[in-house]
Amino acid sequence: MNAIADEIARLFETAARAARAAAEQLARAPRPAKDAALRAAAAALRARSALILEANGVDLAGAPGLSAAYRDRLTLTPARVEAMARGLEEVAELPDPVGRTLAEWSRPNGLRIRRIAQPIGVIGMIFESRPNVTADAAALCLKSGNAVILRGGSESLRSAAAIHACLAEGLRAAGLPEAAVQVAPTADRAFVGAMLRGAGLLDLIIPRGGKGLVTRVMEEARVPVLAHAEGLCHTYIHAAADPAMARGILANAKMRRTGICGATETLLVDAAIAPALLPVLVTDLRALGCDFRADARARDICPDLPAASPEDFSTEWLDARLSVAVVDGVQAALAHIRRHGSEHTEAIVTEDASAAEEFLAGLASAVGMWNASTQFCDGGEFGFGAEIGIATGRLHARGPVGLEQLCTYRYLVLGTGQTRP
């Protein structure tokens, strides 16, 4: 066992050192080269779509016990492969984040100081199930001048390898080092442990997956972590909501794709409109295949709803199930979210601007929405081209992680001969 662990540690170190050398080249790479790599990789994805789907079929066949939501996250379709290709091209169209002047000022002694954006270096990305993360993470890291080592779930190994081959083709076509984007050479979980212990080899780890993965990374990492939230998202329908709008938003927020982190997991309905609106909302969602867990006040209105346990409102369902509670106004909705939420994404549906402002100002969550589906919490929908997670926590960037969030900064000091007294 020790010999195996040592061999995996050597595999990781070899990959990390190659990534470091590649990162040094990427940091100086001009925008045209990075954009050319992304566009060539997009073309390769389209050209090899059949091979990617075949590899994905093998992955799906090898994981028969998956839940419906998990299987949906693992599944690739022609449309999803095309979406990956478009995502690469959209990132290519975005401005280069490297070298931007973030701030500039002058001192009384005549020195001029600039804060300049620069790449972080070598990023480790640990993710579960979704093979499209391979392309999204590679695109954002490449454009922001960072090398990346990707370790996806073992269930998506063949899909990730097929996608990675397209990314490597793009890098070769643009004359950039292939080691800039690497996929873990083994599915052994010990490789994750080596990444977590990789201080000095990795500059940042980004976990993207379930609570268990994120908790392990946070507890064991010896490398800085950009934490990804579980998606316990809420939609609050305020007393001044337009009923038709509320019905459309909720159906999309819950049922468009139930297994993504932006799916609404809890519905909060204002007591003033709950007797009239809640039965309609339940009927709408039941027709779409949704199940429910409801508090006592919601069950007083809809007695056939199953009762919620105390844990249900703190559960990320990732499935066609919705927790339902009736609340007395904006502050009660905010109190519920603070008690049960994961600080990911929350939405209010209302025609009352002051109520919306009160709600949005009271959130600690990474994203607040007004009259829009929580499923818009996605880097592509924000104009980032792609994303590699929704960052939470009080000490770093929050919300969808795109190009700007994958840069740090340095300072330039411009003088005219000044010496310090």
Side-chain angles (χ1 to χ4, degrees), residues 4-378:
I4 294 173
D6 289 346
E7 176 59 26
I8 289 173
R10 283 193 290 272
L11 283 174
F12 165 68
E13 183 172 349
T14 298
R17 294 196 183 283
R20 179 68 63 193
E24 292 172 359
Q25 294 185 54
L26 278 184
R28 301 187 299 272
R31 174 181 176 177
K34 294 186 287 187
D35 292 349
L38 292 169
R39 293 191 176 100
L45 283 172
R46 292 189 176 101
R48 300 186 187 185
S49 178
L51 293 175
I52 294 169
L53 294 174
E54 180 181 347
N56 186 242
V58 175
D59 283 338
L60 288 166
L66 298 179
S67 68
Y70 205 95
R71 179 166 288 273
D72 176 65
R73 294 198 296 276
L74 177 58
T75 299
L76 292 175
T77 64
R80 290 181 182 180
V81 174
E82 173 60 25
M84 282 192 288
R86 285 201 312 273
L88 296 180
E89 292 170 336
E90 288 168 5
V91 172
E93 292 297 320
L94 295 173
D96 193 336
V98 180
R100 292 172 298 133
T101 298
L102 303 175
E104 185 172 8
W105 63 94
S106 297
R107 299 292 296 146
N109 60 7
L111 289 176
R112 288 184 295 135
I113 301 174
R114 293 177 186 164
R115 186 185 300 134
I116 306 294
Q118 71 170 34
I120 292 170
V122 180
I123 293 173
M125 181 80 186
I126 304 171
F127 59 97
E128 295 175 326
S129 70
R130 293 184 188 173
N132 65 289
V133 174
T134 308
D136 292 349
L140 293 174
C141 289
L142 172 60
K143 184 67 178 265
S144 58
N146 297 291
V148 63
I149 298 175
L150 300 156
R151 203 289 186 179
S154 57
E155 71 285 348
S156 61
L157 193 64
R158 293 171 182 82
S159 305
I163 294 167
H164 176 255
C166 300
L167 299 167
E169 182 176 324
L171 289 164
R172 288 194 300 271
L176 295 176
E178 287 186 48
V181 178
Q182 298 178 66
V183 170
T186 174
D188 196 306
R189 290 174 61 86
F191 195 88
V192 174
M195 292 176 72
L196 299 181
R197 296 187 297 273
L201 296 170
L202 297 179
D203 297 300
L204 181 70
I205 285 180
I206 303 175
R208 184 174 183 182
K211 187 175 183 179
L213 169 66
V214 176
T215 298
R216 180 192 175 190
V217 171
M218 295 291 287
E219 290 178 348
E220 298 182 19
R222 300 295 179 265
V223 179
V225 176
L226 185 61
H228 167 74
E230 61 176 327
L232 216 163
C233 305
H234 298 73
T235 293
Y236 166 49
I237 300 180
H238 179 255
D242 176 86
M245 179 187 292
R247 293 172 68 183
I249 287 175
L250 180 63
N252 182 268
K254 180 62 214 175
M255 298 302 293
R256 172 186 167 269
R257 289 187 68 185
T258 61
I260 66 172
C261 62
T264 286
E265 303 289 24
T266 297
L267 166 65
L268 303 176
V269 184
D270 200 289
I273 59 168
L277 186 58
L278 182 57
V280 178
L281 298 173
V282 169
T283 298
D284 286 349
L285 293 182
R286 273 191 174 144
L288 297 172
C290 190
D291 185 20
F292 302 89
R293 295 293 183 271
D295 73 353
R297 297 178 74 183
R299 296 181 73 241
D300 285 342
I301 299 168
C302 298
D304 62 335
L305 294 180
S309 71
E311 296 78 25
D312 285 342
F313 287 104
S314 299
T315 299
E316 183 186 19
W317 297 115
L318 295 174
D319 206 345
R321 179 170 294 168
L322 182 68
S323 302
V324 182
V326 174
V327 295
D328 295 307
V330 171
Q331 289 304 315
L334 290 170
H336 183 105
I337 291 168
R338 284 193 291 269
R339 186 163 60 251
H340 298 286
S342 63
E343 298 189 354
H344 190 293
T345 299
E346 330 297 348
I348 182 172
V349 183
T350 184
E351 298 300 295
D352 183 335
S354 63
E357 291 166 2
E358 179 185 359
F359 180 83
L360 297 174
L363 292 175
S365 302
V367 179
M369 295 188 170
W370 176 12
N371 288 345
S373 167
T374 56
Q375 297 218 8
F376 279 110
C377 188
D378 175 274

